[in-house]
Amino acid sequence: MVWHSVRSGGDTKTRRSRRTLALPKRCVDALALHLTRQQAIRERTGDRWQDNDLVFCTRFGTELDAGNVRRAFKAITKKAGLNEAEWTPREMRHSFVSLLSDEGVPLESISRLVGHFNTTVTETVYRKQLRPVMLEGAQAMDRIFPSEA
């Protein structure tokens, strides 16, 4: 459940950001492994560990700042063989929209999953990623009225 954040005051960006999302099994498995690793780090850190009940934190249990996240993300993209100069954490959100769109998930569902009030913002911000959704009408018309050639 996403009901609070590390933003100033602990609140989410918007009221609609407070929502419950299902996670794919792959993510649940990765989070379980992360928790196991984090517990080992906590034991090694000993008294220096600050328990802030964070899923993602520094090696001492404190909040990550933007620099921490970018540095870790850069290392991960490099290890994955990607050009780290072309990828940012924000790109993951765009990739999420692209993958759902390519899989035929309706625009309304994508919009809700990324926390937008309606599809207008989703369509505006992710126009390039939604290309397959935009092709749906033309493809349907091709099926209804097949070409004679």
Side-chain angles (χ1 to χ4, degrees), residues 49-143:
W49 180 265
Q50 297 178 31
D51 193 0
N52 292 298
D53 197 30
L54 299 171
V55 175
F56 301 102
C57 57
T58 68
R59 63 183 179 192
F60 298 108
T62 57
E63 295 176 7
L64 294 170
D65 63 22
N68 295 130
V69 174
R70 282 191 300 270
R71 207 171 15 264
F73 190 81
K74 188 174 184 176
I76 290 167
T77 55
K78 188 173 186 175
K79 188 174 181 179
L82 300 171
N83 180 347
E84 66 268 19
E86 294 177 356
W87 286 88
T88 65
R90 185 79 177 156
E91 294 296 326
M92 299 303 289
R93 186 172 167 94
H94 287 264
S95 296
F96 177 73
V97 170
S98 294
L99 291 168
L100 293 180
S101 178
D102 288 348
E103 195 60 26
V105 174
L107 181 59
E108 293 78 12
S109 296
I110 294 171
S111 184
R112 279 193 309 274
L113 287 166
V114 295
H116 292 153
F117 180 71
N118 58 40
T119 61
T120 305
V121 173
T122 311
E123 290 173 300
T124 303
V125 174
Y126 300 102
R127 183 174 301 133
K128 291 178 183 174
Q129 284 80 10
L130 296 172
R131 182 185 46 78
V133 171
M134 303 304 182
L135 292 175
E136 194 173 78
Q139 292 168 343
M141 293 305 285
D142 284 342
R143 287 190 301 276

